């Protein structure tokens, strides 16, 4: 009886020893395994763990509820898996996010299987593999894919926009445009191009048959063989640029320009540009005709002007010739008339008045002829200046003295503003002529009102200003009055040929100076002469 009992105890002891050894080996194997191995009891508490999955030590984890180590939204997954294990004994797999307050959260691919002893599930073994890096890579890959899709969509939208813009540009251009590949297939052409040709030919282009289209098109030309020859020569040299004219039998002339189509440095086809220049050439021909006509008319006008100037020059000389002796005799007659005693000739005073009036009219006629002579000299470019040192202030005083009687007749007082001599090298007679013209105009248009003359200078310029209190000059007339035979006032109200200011400007320009006018309607005008010193 003792021997069987001893044998049984020995067997139990050996079995326990073997179990302990087996468990020891299993633990060693579990502790060296790369995956996390957890044994969970039916109460969901951790019985064994081969390594820590949190900041807690393994001995602190054992005895804790396994659900405590997953986020709340993941807890239901683990609970469902454990329930399936302990109730149905069925293994399951899932992915779960484990939380770790110290190190963050990690993703695990978990397989949980039942441990069955004597047909009863005594525990569950959970093998979890850290797939955090894989999940990170999946997220990055997904983000990269989403970003790539976004960029593809954006790029596609840009390409569509560009294509739409190109198509709109192609259709809106006034030129006909056609694109062919190197095999003469029509890749693209706009409506303008198709509208240039008969309907049958347009259908040929739309069918992409460039060879046949060339034969049909050449038949419409005045020189078909030459057009075909030029086109073939262009295609024989793909890199060549070309430009020629197509003369059609219907009278149209089309400008044709061709350039190679290049993509990534390689020639892939040709772009042809067609422009109907028939109307343009007609317009240019009409323009040339009008220009020729205008040139002829201008020559005739110049001849007429020259004839007029020649006539004026001749007439001026012819008028001036008798005026000179007439003036001399009149001056002698006035001197002799002043010697007559009133008692000898009661009307001697009236005679002197008549002689003075005649003298003024002769002087005016002399001035008019001199103006006409000056105009002919200016037109011929023969206005000669005799420059000499002079004092502008002395010139103004001398002209004032000469115009004393005329100022009295016009009832104009003359105010001269000067600070001292203003010296320069100018043509005395011509500058005197300019000032006399300005002063005469001031008396003519500002009769009965004062006239102000200012002589001044800077380090390089001299200034002569004449200000009247006349009616003023309209702004649109201020440039016109310096032209030949132009005047701001009506000839009915004021005499003269309208040459004085024109001649004055030419004289001042010849000196390298300027003459300008400032005016205000109803208040008068100021003419300013500027001369280089």
């Amino acid at each position: 009886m003792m021997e069987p009992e001893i044998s049984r105890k020995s067997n139990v002891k050996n079995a326990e020893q073997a179990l302990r050894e087996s468990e020891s080996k299993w633990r060693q194997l579990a502790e060296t395994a790369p995956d996390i191995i957890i044994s969970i009891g039916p109460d969901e508490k951790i019985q064994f763990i081969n390594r820590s999955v949190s900041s807690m030590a393994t001995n602190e984890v054992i005895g804790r509820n396994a659900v405590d180590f997953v986020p709340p939204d993941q807890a239901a997954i683990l609970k469902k898996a454990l329930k399936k294990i302990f109730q149905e004994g069925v293994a399951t797999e899932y992915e779960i996010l484990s939380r770790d307050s110290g190190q963050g959260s990690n993703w695990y691919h978990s397989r949980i299987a039942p441990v069955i002893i004597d047909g009863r599930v005594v525990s569950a073994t959970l093998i979890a593999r850290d797939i955090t890096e894989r999940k990170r890579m999946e997220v990055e890959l997904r983000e990269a894919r989403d970003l790539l899709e976004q960029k593809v969509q954006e790029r596609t939208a840009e390409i569509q926009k560009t294509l739409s813009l190109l198509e709109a540009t192609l259709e809106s251009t006034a030129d006909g445009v056609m694109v062919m590949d190197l095999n003469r297939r029509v890749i693209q052409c706009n409506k303008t191009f198709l509208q240039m040709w008969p309907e049958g030919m347009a259908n040929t282009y739309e069918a992409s048959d460039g060879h046949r289209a060339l034969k049909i098109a050449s038949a419409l030309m005045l020189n078909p063989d030459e057009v075909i020859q030029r086109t073939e020569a262009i295609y024989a040299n793909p890199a060549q640029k070309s430009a020629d004219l197509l003369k059609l039998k219907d009278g149209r002339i089309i400008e044709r320009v061709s350039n190679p189509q290049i993509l990534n440095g390689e020639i892939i086809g040709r772009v042809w540009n067609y422009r109907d220049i028939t109307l343009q050439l007609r317009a240019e021909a009409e323009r040339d005709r009008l220009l020729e006509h205008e040139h002829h008319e201008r020559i005739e006008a110049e001849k007429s002007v020259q004839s007029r100037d020649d006539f004026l020059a001749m007439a001026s000389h012819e008028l001036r010739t008798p005026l000179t002796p007439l003036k001399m005799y009149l001056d002698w007659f006035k001197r002799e008339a002043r010697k007559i005693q009133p008692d000898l000739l009661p009307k001697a005073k009236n005679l002197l008045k008549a002689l003075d009036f005649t003298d003024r009219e002769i002087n005016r006629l002399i001035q008019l002829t001199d103006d006409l002579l000056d105009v002919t000299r200016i037109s011929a470019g023969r206005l000669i200046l005799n420059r000499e040192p002079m004092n502008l202030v002395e010139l103004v005083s001398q002209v004032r003295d000469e115009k004393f009687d005329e100022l009295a007749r016009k009832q104009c007082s003359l105010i001269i503003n000067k600070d001292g001599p203003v010296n320069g090298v100018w043509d005395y007679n011509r500058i005197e002529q300019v000032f006399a013209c300005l002063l005469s105009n001031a008396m003519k248009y500002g009769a009965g009102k004062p006239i102000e003359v200012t002589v001044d200078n800077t380090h390089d310029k001299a200034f002569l200003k004449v200000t009247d209190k006349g009616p003023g000059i309209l702004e649109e007339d201020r440039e016109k009055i310096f032209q030949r035979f132009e005047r701001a006032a009506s000839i009915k109200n004021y005499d003269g040929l309208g040459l004085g200011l024109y001649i004055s400007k030419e004289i001042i320009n010849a000196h390298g100076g300027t003459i300008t006018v400032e005016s205000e309607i109803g208040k008068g005008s100021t003419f300013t002469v500027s001369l280089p010193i």
Side-chain angles (χ1 to χ4, degrees), residues 242-262:
S242 70
D244 61 354
L245 295 179
L246 304 178
K247 297 181 179 180
L248 279 70
K249 294 177 180 178
D250 61 8
R252 288 183 297 157
I253 300 177
I254 295 177
E255 181 183 54
R256 181 177 67 165
V257 178
S258 170
N259 289 287
Q261 183 186 12
I262 300 175

Side-chain angles (χ1 to χ4, degrees), residues 368-434:
L368 291 176
T369 57
D370 287 344
D371 285 348
L372 290 175
L373 284 171
D374 281 340
V375 168
T376 58
R377 294 189 187 103
I378 292 170
S379 299
R382 291 187 283 107
L383 181 64
I384 300 173
L385 300 180
N386 298 312
R387 298 175 184 264
E388 58 180 321
M390 55 171 285
N391 182 351
L392 194 58
V393 174
E394 291 180 356
L395 181 147
V396 168
S397 299
Q398 181 176 335
V399 173
R400 176 199 58 191
D401 295 342
E402 292 174 356
K403 298 285 185 179
F404 180 80
D405 291 341
E406 187 175 357
L407 285 166
R409 285 196 305 272
K410 296 291 185 179
Q411 297 180 349
C412 293
S413 61
L414 181 62
I415 303 169
I416 300 177
N417 301 316
K418 61 183 186 301
D419 290 333
V422 176
N423 297 315
V425 180
W426 307 300
D427 185 320
Y428 187 96
N429 292 330
R430 289 298 184 181
I431 299 300
E432 180 184 23
Q433 181 181 349
V434 171

Side-chain angles (χ1 to χ4, degrees), residues 15 48 57-58 137 152 159 171 226 236 321 332 380 461 473 495 509 513:
F48 169 80
T58 55
M137 292 180 66
V152 169
I159 292 175
E171 292 301 334
E226 183 181 342
T321 300
W332 174 83
K461 290 182 180 180
I473 304 170
D495 57 10
N509 288 345

Side-chain angles (χ1 to χ4, degrees), residues 421-470:
V422 176
N423 297 315
V425 180
W426 307 300
D427 185 320
Y428 187 96
N429 292 330
R430 289 298 184 181
I431 299 300
E432 180 184 23
Q433 181 181 349
V434 171
F435 178 54
C437 171
L438 296 178
L439 187 57
S440 295
N441 284 346
M443 288 188 287
K444 181 192 300 183
Y445 296 107
K449 298 176 182 179
I451 299 172
E452 186 174 355
V453 176
T454 301
V455 185
D456 197 3
N457 68 308
T458 61
H459 69 285
D460 60 347
K461 290 182 180 180
F463 297 97
L464 173 62
K465 295 183 180 181
V466 178
T467 302
D468 63 55
K469 303 297 182 181

Side-chain angles (χ1 to χ4, degrees), residues 3 32 78 88 128 223 349 367 370 372 454 462:
E3 290 181 0
T32 58
L78 180 57
E88 303 175 15
N223 50 346
K349 187 175 181 181
Q367 182 62 52
D370 287 344
L372 290 175
T454 301

Side-chain angles (χ1 to χ4, degrees), residues 349-378:
K349 187 175 181 181
N350 294 336
L351 176 62
L352 287 173
K353 288 182 178 180
L355 291 174
D356 287 338
F357 175 79
T358 303
D359 187 37
R360 289 196 300 273
E361 292 303 308
I362 289 178
N363 287 335
R364 190 169 72 86
L365 190 56
I366 291 173
Q367 182 62 52
L368 291 176
T369 57
D370 287 344
D371 285 348
L372 290 175
L373 284 171
D374 281 340
V375 168
T376 58
R377 294 189 187 103
I378 292 170

